[in-house]
Amino acid sequence: MTKRAIISGGSIGGLFAAAALMRAGWQVDVFERTDVELAGRGAGIVTHKALIEALQAVGASTEDLGVSVQERVAFDKAGQPVARIDYPQIVTSWDRIHQLLRVLIPDDRHHLGAHVAGYADHGDRVEAVLTDGRRVEADVLIGADGFRSSVRGQMLPDVQPEYSGYVVWRALAHEADLPAEVRDAVFPHFGFYAPTGTQIIGYPIAGPNNDLRPGHRRYNFVWYAPVKAADLADMLTDASGHLHHISIPPPLVRDAVITAVEAQAREMLPGPFVQILAQSERPFFTPIYDHASPVMAQGRVALSGDAACVARPHVGMGVTKAACDALALARHLADGPVEEGLLAYSAERVPASKSAHDRARTLGRFIFDDSVPNPDGRSNPRLDEIMRTTAINVA
Ligand SMILES: Cc1cc2nc3c(=O)[nH]c(=O)nc-3n(C[C@H](O)[C@H](O)[C@H](O)COP(=O)(O)OP(=O)(O)OC[C@H]3O[C@@H](n4cnc5c(N)ncnc54)[C@H](O)[C@@H]3O)c2cc1C
């Protein structure tokens, strides 16, 4: 008899798990709480060999995946290059990966506006319980519902995301809007600015509708900036005075918060990055949290992607880690009892996730290393290590 899986969460991790399980012969239903397709959101994603192989393994196209960058270049406060290394890599967008996976899932198996509140594991089957009262039965439930996962909340209530003390501001600028000197010197590269206490990385990605033509692409601006927990509360408060827990939807960020960060950017960042920000669509921020679950399965229920473990974005592993989780799930569930397969899955993926999580924390600590005066990004004692180990596959 065909086995049935329910996946809570229809972002990249959920779609990857769905596509991998479908190829292993499972009938899969994806429940996504958002009631519209997730297309058109998100910014840049770095790819790794493992991600490209995982896309191919689930039958997704990898043609026109993104923009090829050849070099990593670090700049100083004056906007001058201070270090270069060769590191060819394809950089793409969240949208592109989402779109490549979404077409693999039949519409009648992809349920929008379906919010999983919890589950009941009956031993021989599991029931997902939806907030609208529906109870849906399956052989396995996968919690791919992100870092504030309801499934993890029930399975491992003690595992809570921890605030790191800094946020990431992201913005996208259209290539055509950038001054010629920024287009020439900064745009084509995977760029860094690494003085003590803050950090920029940035790279080109496709334009809207995956437009890869020169002149039509966008620059993905990523800025790590320290924010004390008390100040974070103000940034997370919307214009009506409502304080959002953990993160705030970008359209609700108050204009005053955006104005303040633009002023801070003019003071702290090299000219080319200030110009990129000035030409960007409205920037948005995400507080950096992380967590690592000690197990990724219990009974007939598994966790994958960010629900299981969030590695800070320095390692650029969010999507690749979710992809590797999906392939491992499908492999361990290909035959044999579900519970045994999930135990083997957890044993394989917990150490891999933890390694990405720990490496990302180390890279985060490097931002605030003040052992050597480095006010302008020229004297970072770890610059070479940062450039060689940021956004590489570590799991
Ligand atoms: C809209 C969006 C844009 C993103 N953009 C970027 C980006 O630009 N760069 C980057 O590096 N990373 C981005 N990410 C994060 C990146 O997708 C993840 O790190 C990685 O893909 C692993 O994600 P995930 O699928 O495990 O979790 P997530 O991407 O967090 O997805 C979890 C999904 O589960 C849904 N969900 C949550 N709770 C429930 C519930 N109880 N029931 C049903 N559904 C639920 C959420 O709506 C969401 O779609 C983005 C995530 C989202 C959702």
Side-chain angles (χ1 to χ4, degrees), residues 46-180:
V46 295
T47 72
H48 308 288
K49 189 163 162 271
L51 175 60
I52 295 169
E53 287 170 357
L55 285 165
Q56 289 163 347
V58 299
S61 161
T62 49
E63 258 175 57
D64 294 336
L65 185 57
V67 179
S68 292
V69 289
Q70 296 303 321
E71 249 191 330
R72 294 183 164 199
V73 180
F75 299 89
D76 67 5
K77 178 79 190 325
Q80 294 305 309
V82 289
R84 290 178 183 274
I85 59 169
D86 274 341
Y87 197 97
Q89 196 164 27
I90 296 174
V91 281
T92 184
S93 63
W94 187 90
D95 251 357
R96 179 69 179 147
I97 304 272
H98 182 265
Q99 177 197 39
L100 292 170
L101 293 168
R102 176 64 186 88
V103 295
L104 302 176
I105 315 300
D107 285 346
D108 62 346
R109 295 280 164 210
H110 183 262
H111 313 277
L112 292 170
H115 193 149
V116 175
Y119 61 86
D121 189 341
H122 300 292
D124 59 341
R125 69 209 148 84
V126 60
E127 264 183 329
V129 181
L130 275 67
T131 50
D132 60 11
R134 276 182 289 164
R135 301 176 79 93
V136 189
E137 251 184 43
D139 296 285
V140 69
L141 167 67
I142 315 292
D145 45 357
F147 87 115
R148 286 192 274 174
S149 163
S150 304
V151 175
R152 190 191 68 241
Q154 179 170 340
M155 186 195 290
L156 302 167
D158 293 338
V159 175
Q160 294 293 336
E162 225 180 279
Y163 179 54
S164 64
Y166 56 104
V167 306
V168 58
W169 279 96
R170 288 182 291 168
L172 290 172
H174 290 269
E175 182 179 4
D177 295 339
L178 297 175

Side-chain angles (χ1 to χ4, degrees), residues 14-69:
L15 297 183
F16 244 123
L21 284 169
M22 279 166 42
R23 279 179 90 86
W26 284 67
Q27 187 190 87
V28 181
D29 283 277
V30 176
F31 292 101
E32 165 57 47
R33 71 174 169 193
T34 310
D35 54 12
V36 291
E37 289 284 354
L38 296 171
R41 307 193 189 185
I45 298 282
V46 295
T47 72
H48 308 288
K49 189 163 162 271
L51 175 60
I52 295 169
E53 287 170 357
L55 285 165
Q56 289 163 347
V58 299
S61 161
T62 49
E63 258 175 57
D64 294 336
L65 185 57
V67 179
S68 292
V69 289

Side-chain angles (χ1 to χ4, degrees), residues 239-373:
S240 73
H242 175 68
L243 169 62
H244 294 256
H245 183 51
I246 298 195
S247 66
I248 178 169
L252 298 185
V253 176
R254 298 185 337 269
D255 289 345
V257 173
I258 304 285
T259 309
V261 81
E262 285 168 347
Q264 198 185 5
R266 285 192 292 275
E267 202 179 294
M268 291 173 68
L269 304 184
F273 289 105
V274 177
Q275 287 170 310
I276 288 168
L277 188 61
Q279 294 302 327
S280 291
E281 294 160 12
R282 190 174 167 91
F284 55 100
F285 78 93
T286 316
I288 301 289
Y289 286 85
D290 60 12
H291 73 89
S293 301
V295 294
M296 286 170 62
Q298 211 174 68
R300 289 183 171 265
V301 184
L303 301 171
S304 76
D306 284 5
C309 169
V310 170
R312 298 181 192 176
H314 313 297
V315 283
M317 282 295 292
V319 168
T320 301
K321 185 167 70 57
C324 295
D325 288 347
L327 295 192
L329 262 175
R331 190 165 16 88
H332 289 295
L333 289 175
D335 44 43
V338 165
E339 288 98 327
E340 282 176 25
L342 292 187
L343 278 179
Y345 160 73
S346 179
E348 176 181 330
R349 293 304 299 162
V350 166
S353 305
K354 184 79 170 53
S355 131
H357 167 272
D358 292 354
R359 184 65 202 161
R361 280 193 164 200
T362 301
L363 281 167
R365 267 199 305 278
F366 288 172
I367 300 177
F368 303 99
D369 176 4
D370 56 4
S371 57
V372 172

